[in-house]
């Protein structure tokens, strides 16, 4: 049967106090993901239709999903994610209830446990009601729902001149089916099925009367998928939960694990590792960490590379998967619409209707100026970590094509730098990692004209050339090794000459199309330290400023110094704190021997994570830390975000001074430090060549010593430098 939507006729939404226009609060929302399907809901388990929803292949297939008890929102007791990120649970209880027959149920005697998981593009939900009163209770339960089938970019705010066709909702006695035919001629479906037949089922709601005996309980199972399943029930729910948890355990077993003497610190490590596993999708080319939920739950080039670099010392298999995917999707032609050129590495890929119709260029988009050199850098770091020259040899044509793109890009530039200027108006105006419209500016706040040469991008290019030269030597290709060495040195000298600001003792953010420097102090300079480009003297000056109050808020490194004209601690890129950026700056400080300050950065980041329930968001506000106050959330941040989750491991590696040389089969530790309050830390199953070892760090007085488990002595030499 077909029934029209009756939302406009029903006053229950207003009476229940449902506010679907309330702003999204990512730190109070909960996300689940499996493959290319994810769901974001609030602590009640409700989907309210803002930026939340159930998404499949970049389309929102469930835009409302709200539980009412007696036409009212139940009272929230608590909400949590399981440690493995597989099951969300909301703990709820009833407000006072009066049924049609006049019987009353007092507040707080019906316990409602709402559990949810995703498996194979389907959402499974279990709603268990338990009666703790001394009499039978009739509980009126309502589920309100809708599917708007909006493209991800529509959810983010894009306006379309026209859309496809919404079909009338079809209902059966125990299910509801919604359908949308896109302008791309693809049908998108969403079916909600119930284990219990509702008393009433309409296009946007299902009503139940749950009869609970004294001290008794009843359970309702729900499934949401593209088609009608076999009848939902306990066995299907348990089977999906078991498969989901088994799959997650398999993911989390990849690579080494870190354990410390700090229980709360271990909780952070465990949550971060679980978040990376949650975001990692198994593609035909191998594992790939999707960037973040909800806006970026897809393969991004830059984010994937950075996340792989963060995890490289623990799990090099992630880097191999990222490199394989990016090589397979490397550009082979020039297209202004997609900003592609031969050899360039992909920035972003999407599967939604707007991407398919080319309303936006992001079906496969190459508008990231830094992704190509970062791709080469990751390949070079991967072989140094693993010694896996066989894999690198298979990538060699791709790496050479990427290097050719870098050379051609610098040759086309008037100043010899790799720069960007979008080729089509539909593309990104700024194409570095700080890609908001106002993230690149002159000291007076004016937006520079392009093409733009970002300082950190030149550092990535320098590091890519250096790494390629070493790979060429390993392949006995002396002429290319010499050429790329010369390219790296030319870039290093040019950056030192054109970007250094003598009066500010810092590197400029960028050069504009006239070669004029954007004389602004930003955290981008910390990325130069990360790749080792600056001279030791200039690196020291940059380090001092990054650790000063202008940059270091107490929670992390701000993206912009607080005395710059466009500084705004609530902005996206002009004064906020991005954990991955802090981690990259910290790794850069470590490269130049700054050790004790790394402990401060790691501790501040850990303490921020504690306030965010052990889950660092994509970014948060850059206000100065005040005694007794928590960091301030950024309202539209992704949570979880892969490179935010991975930041703890990059910070940890920097503090430990740990490097693994897979070519030599050596572990090198330089002036190690442990986090504040941690006296012992062990890395288990750390791969070094063909061996796996357990490496421990122990605080002894004012020193930290590193040692291998006696079982592994001789398998992998440990070299400790004080």
């Amino acid at each position: 049967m077909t029934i029209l939507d009756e939302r406009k006729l029903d006053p229950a939404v207003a009476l229940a106090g449902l506010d679907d226009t309330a702003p999204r609060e990512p730190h109070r929302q909960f996300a689940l993901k499996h493959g290319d399907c994810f769901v974001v809901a609030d602590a009640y388990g409700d989907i309210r239709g803002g930026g939340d929803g159930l998404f499949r292949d970049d389309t929102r297939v469930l835009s409302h999903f709200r539980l009412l008890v007696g036409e009212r929102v139940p009272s929230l007791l608590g909400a949590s994610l399981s440690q493995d990120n597989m099951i969300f649970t909301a703990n709820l209880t009833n407000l006072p209830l009066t049924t049609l027959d006049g019987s009353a149920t007092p507040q707080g005697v019906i316990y409602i446990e709402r559990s949810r998981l995703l498996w194979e593009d389907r959402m499974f939900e279990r709603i268990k009601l338990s009666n703790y009163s001394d009499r039978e209770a009739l509980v009126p339960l309502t589920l309100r729902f809708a599917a708007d089938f909006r493209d991800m970019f529509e959810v983010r705010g894009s306006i379309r001149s026209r859309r496809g066709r919404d079909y009338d909702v079809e209902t059966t006695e125990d299910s509801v089916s919604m359908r949308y035919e896109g302008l791309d001629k693809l049908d998108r479906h969403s079916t909600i099925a119930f284990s219990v037949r509702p008393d009433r089922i309409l296009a946007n709601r299902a009503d139940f009367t749950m009869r609970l005996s004294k001290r008794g309980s009843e359970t309702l199972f729900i499934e949401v998928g593209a088609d009608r399943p076999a009848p939902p029930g306990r066995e299907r729910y348990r089977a999906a939960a078991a498969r989901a948890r088994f799959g997650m355990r398999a993911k989390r077993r990849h690579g080494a694990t870190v354990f410390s003497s700090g229980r709360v610190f271990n909780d952070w490590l465990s949550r971060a590792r679980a978040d990376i596993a949650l975001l990692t999708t198994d593609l035909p080319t191998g594992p790939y960490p999707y960037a973040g939920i909800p806006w970026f739950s897809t393969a991004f080039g830059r984010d994937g590379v950075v996340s792989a670099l963060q995890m490289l010392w623990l799990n090099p298999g992630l880097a191999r998967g990222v490199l394989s995917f990016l090589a397979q999707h490397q550009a082979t032609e020039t297209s202004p619409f997609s900003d592609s050129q031969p050899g360039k590495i992909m920035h972003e890929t999407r599967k939604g209707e707007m991407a398919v119709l080319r309303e936006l260029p992001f079906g496969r988009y190459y508008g990231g100026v830094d992704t190509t050199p970062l791709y080469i850098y990751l390949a070079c770091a991967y072989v140094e970590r693993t010694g896996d020259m066989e894999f690198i040899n298979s990538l060699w044509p791709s790496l050479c094509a990427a290097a050719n793109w870098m050379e051609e890009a610098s040759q086309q530039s008037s100043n010899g730098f790799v720069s960007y200027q979008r080729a089509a108006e539909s593309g990104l105006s700024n194409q570095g990692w700080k890609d908001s419209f106002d993230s690149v500016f002159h000291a007076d706040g004016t937006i520079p004209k392009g093409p733009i040469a970002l300082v950190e991008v030149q550092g990535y290019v320098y590091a890519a050339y250096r790494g390629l030269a070493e790979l060429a030597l390993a392949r006995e290709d002396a002429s290319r090794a010499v050429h790329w060495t010369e390219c790296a040195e030319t870039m290093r000298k040019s950056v030192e000459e054109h970007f250094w600001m003598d009066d500010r003792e810092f590197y400029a953010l960028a050069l504009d199309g006239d070669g004029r420097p954007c004389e602004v102090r930003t955290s981008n300079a910390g990325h130069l330290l990360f790749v080792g480009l600056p001279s030791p003297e200039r690196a020291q000056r940059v380090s001092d400023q990054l650790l000063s109050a202008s940059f270091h808020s107490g929670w992390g490194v701000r993206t912009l110094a607080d005395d710059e004209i466009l500084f705004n601690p609530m902005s996206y890129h002009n004064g906020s704190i991005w954990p991955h950026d802090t981690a990259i700056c910290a790794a850069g400080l470590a490269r130049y021997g700054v050790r004790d300050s790394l402990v401060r950065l790691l501790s501040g980041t850990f303490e921020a994570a504690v306030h965010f329930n052990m889950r660092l968001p994509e970014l948060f506000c850059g206000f100065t830390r005040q005694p007794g106050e928590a960091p301030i959330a950024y309202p539209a941040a992704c949570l979880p975000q892969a490179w935010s989750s991975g930041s703890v491991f990059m910070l940890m590696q920097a503090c430990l001074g740990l490097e693994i040389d897979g070519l030599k089969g050596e572990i090198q530790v330089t002036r190690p430090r442990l986090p504040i309050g941690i006296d012992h830390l062990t890395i288990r199953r750390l791969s070094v060549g063909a061996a796996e070892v357990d490496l421990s760090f122990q605080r002894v007085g004012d020193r930290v010593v590193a040692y291998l488990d006696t079982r592994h002595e001789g398998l992998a030499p440990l070299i400790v430098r004080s």
Side-chain angles (χ1 to χ4, degrees):
M1 99 182 115
T2 301
I3 298 179
L4 297 178
D5 194 322
E6 48 117 41
R7 276 174 293 185
K8 295 180 180 178
L9 306 177
D10 189 349
V13 171
L15 292 175
L18 307 185
D19 181 8
D20 292 337
T21 63
R24 189 176 168 272
E25 299 176 286
H27 58 295
R28 295 177 182 172
Q29 293 189 309
F30 295 82
L32 299 170
K33 175 186 171 294
H34 184 251
D36 287 312
C37 182
F38 69 89
V39 61
V40 179
D42 64 17
Y44 293 81
D46 285 342
I47 293 170
R48 300 187 304 175
D52 51 3
L54 174 63
F55 293 80
R56 187 172 60 242
D57 292 334
D58 286 324
T59 299
R60 185 161 65 181
V61 296
L62 197 61
S63 52
H64 283 79
F65 196 62
R66 310 206 64 177
L67 175 67
L68 306 179
V69 180
E71 295 292 354
R72 302 168 75 183
V73 176
S75 178
L76 177 66
L77 300 174
S80 63
L81 281 172
S82 59
Q83 190 177 36
D84 60 8
N85 277 334
M86 285 292 95
I87 296 179
F88 162 77
T89 302
N91 310 107
L92 312 164
T93 190
N94 67 297
L95 297 174
L97 295 172
T98 302
T99 59
L100 292 176
D101 64 3
S103 62
T105 301
Q107 179 172 342
V109 298
I110 308 298
Y111 171 60
I112 306 162
E113 183 185 72
R114 189 178 185 185
S115 298
R116 174 182 297 157
L117 65 100
L118 290 183
W119 180 250
E120 293 183 343
D121 291 344
R122 185 173 295 278
M123 187 173 83
F124 294 79
E125 183 148 330
R126 180 185 66 198
I127 301 174
K128 182 178 180 181
L129 293 87
S130 300
N131 180 11
Y132 286 95
S133 71
D134 58 0
R135 66 185 66 181
E136 181 183 77
L138 293 177
V139 181
L141 204 67
T142 297
L143 280 156
R144 300 183 63 90
F145 41 77
D148 61 5
F149 297 103
R150 298 282 174 178
D151 185 278
M152 172 58 76
F153 288 97
E154 289 183 276
V155 178
R156 290 173 62 181
S158 294
I159 305 299
R160 302 179 69 188
S161 59
R162 63 192 186 100
R163 299 187 77 249
R165 177 185 176 188
D166 287 300
Y167 285 81
D168 289 342
V169 177
E170 296 183 354
T171 68
T172 69
E173 62 182 17
D174 59 0
S175 69
V176 177
S177 295
M178 295 162 278
R179 175 188 172 200
Y180 167 76
E181 182 185 13
L183 297 176
D184 56 1
K185 303 304 180 185
L186 291 179
D187 272 1
R188 294 169 172 87
H189 299 265
S190 193
T191 297
I192 307 174
F194 307 100
S195 64
V196 176
R197 180 176 176 177
D199 301 334
R200 181 176 70 149
I201 189 165
L202 299 173
N204 69 331
R205 67 183 290 162
D207 298 321
F208 305 82
T209 301
M210 308 296 286
R211 185 179 295 273
L212 305 179
S213 62
K214 173 184 175 181
R215 298 287 169 172
S217 64
E218 294 290 339
T219 304
L220 170 65
F221 292 92
I222 307 167
E223 293 187 27
V224 184
D227 52 16
R228 180 181 169 84
R234 189 180 312 277
E235 293 308 314
R236 283 181 58 83
Y237 181 90
R238 285 181 172 176
R243 291 194 295 268
R245 300 195 112 153
F246 179 82
M248 178 56 78
R249 281 197 299 271
K251 282 185 181 181
R252 295 182 69 180
R253 280 197 295 265
H254 294 309
T257 53
V258 183
F259 297 89
S260 80
S261 57
R263 181 182 59 80
V264 179
F265 193 80
N266 287 340
D267 289 343
W268 182 32
L269 296 174
S270 178
R271 174 60 69 188
R273 196 63 179 267
D275 282 348
I276 292 169
L278 175 74
L279 291 165
T280 298
T281 301
D282 292 322
L283 303 175
T285 48
Y288 201 102
Y290 282 8
I293 296 173
W295 313 125
F296 310 123
S297 186
T298 187
F300 274 75
R302 176 192 305 122
D303 296 64
V305 168
V306 172
S307 299
L309 283 168
Q310 292 170 330
M311 299 301 297
L312 183 59
W313 65 291
L314 293 170
N315 180 18
L318 196 61
R320 182 177 176 127
V322 169
L323 291 166
S324 296
F325 178 86
L326 295 178
Q328 187 178 91
H329 295 87
Q330 189 171 27
T332 58
E333 60 184 11
T334 298
S335 167
F337 180 69
S338 62
D339 256 319
S340 66
Q341 296 165 334
K344 205 172 181 184
I345 296 299
M346 185 197 75
H347 168 68
E348 176 180 0
T349 182
R350 295 285 185 174
K351 297 180 179 180
E353 180 185 358
M354 294 178 72
V356 171
L357 293 170
R358 294 172 68 85
E359 295 177 25
L360 294 169
F362 303 115
R364 191 176 296 172
Y365 182 59
Y366 293 83
V369 70
D370 51 0
T371 310
T372 305
L374 280 171
Y375 163 76
I376 297 174
Y377 182 79
L378 175 62
C380 299
Y382 170 81
V383 75
E384 182 179 355
R385 167 67 180 85
T386 64
D388 186 2
M389 280 301 298
E390 182 179 354
F391 175 66
I392 292 301
N393 288 337
S394 72
L395 287 184
W396 193 246
S398 170
L399 294 171
C400 290
N404 290 340
W405 177 83
M406 290 195 310
E407 288 196 59
E408 290 176 9
S410 60
Q411 289 167 5
Q412 292 169 5
S413 171
S414 60
N415 48 29
F417 293 116
V418 175
S419 58
Y420 67 87
Q421 185 165 24
R422 64 180 174 186
E425 285 299 311
S426 57
L428 294 173
S429 57
N430 281 320
Q431 298 187 357
W433 85 262
K434 296 177 181 176
D435 56 6
S436 50
F437 76 96
D438 61 349
S439 60
V440 180
F441 57 94
H442 281 294
D444 62 359
T446 59
I447 303 299
K449 71 174 187 177
I452 304 296
L454 292 168
V455 64
E456 79 275 14
V457 172
Q458 317 317 313
Y460 302 153
V461 171
Y462 160 77
Y465 281 138
R466 283 194 61 187
L468 283 171
E470 294 177 5
L471 289 182
L473 281 177
R475 289 171 51 85
E476 299 181 350
D477 189 340
S479 61
R480 273 182 167 159
V482 170
H483 172 69
W484 283 326
T485 298
E486 292 173 350
C487 289
E489 183 60 16
T490 298
M491 180 60 73
R492 186 191 66 78
K493 290 179 178 177
S494 295
V495 170
E496 294 283 45
E497 177 183 352
H498 293 283
F499 283 87
W500 182 253
M501 301 181 290
D502 277 320
D503 57 334
R504 309 196 73 182
E505 296 191 319
F506 210 77
Y507 290 94
L509 165 61
L511 302 183
D512 68 10
D514 294 327
R516 190 161 65 99
C518 297
E519 296 184 335
V520 179
R521 293 183 304 143
T522 66
S523 62
N524 302 54
H527 295 226
L528 281 189
L529 304 183
F530 175 68
V531 298
L533 184 147
S535 67
E537 295 77 18
R538 288 181 174 178
Q540 184 61 55
R541 295 169 190 169
V542 171
S543 300
D544 290 344
Q545 294 197 49
L546 289 175
L547 293 168
S548 72
S550 291
F551 277 103
H552 188 204
S553 74
W555 300 116
V557 176
R558 298 186 181 101
T559 50
L560 179 67
D562 67 358
D563 56 356
E564 300 292 349
I565 193 167
L566 292 189
F567 173 76
N568 177 356
M570 299 175 290
S571 68
Y572 197 53
H573 286 127
N574 289 335
S576 54
I577 295 168
W578 290 63
H580 90 279
D581 186 42
T582 294
I584 289 175
C585 291
L589 296 171
R591 178 184 281 271
Y592 286 90
V594 180
R595 289 284 171 204
D596 292 331
S597 296
L598 296 181
V599 177
R600 283 177 53 211
L601 284 174
L602 176 56
S603 295
T605 305
F606 166 55
E607 288 154 10
V610 170
H611 286 288
F612 287 117
N613 295 319
M614 298 302 176
R615 212 177 211 182
L616 285 171
E618 176 188 17
L619 73 155
F620 52 93
C621 294
F623 292 102
T624 299
R625 182 174 182 173
Q626 299 296 332
E629 295 186 4
I632 298 173
Y634 182 84
C638 284
L639 187 70
Q641 180 92 351
W643 64 12
S644 289
S645 299
S647 63
V648 56
F649 301 108
M650 182 173 272
L651 284 162
M652 179 69 69
Q653 183 183 15
C655 276
L656 296 178
L658 175 63
E659 298 291 338
I660 302 165
D661 190 327
L663 293 168
K664 295 180 181 178
E666 292 179 351
I667 302 171
Q668 301 170 11
V669 175
T670 304
R671 297 173 58 202
R673 299 290 188 272
L674 283 171
I676 295 172
I678 303 300
D679 294 322
H680 184 266
L681 182 143
T682 297
I683 306 159
R684 298 176 183 167
R685 297 187 296 107
L686 183 67
S687 64
V688 185
E692 278 193 353
V693 302
D694 292 350
L695 175 63
S696 294
F697 294 82
Q698 179 74 47
R699 194 185 302 277
V700 179
D702 59 355
R703 298 172 55 243
V704 174
V705 297
Y707 57 92
L708 291 173
D709 187 290
T710 55
R711 294 172 298 167
H712 306 304
E713 288 180 355
L715 290 178
L718 173 61
I719 301 171
V720 181
R721 300 182 180 93
S722 59

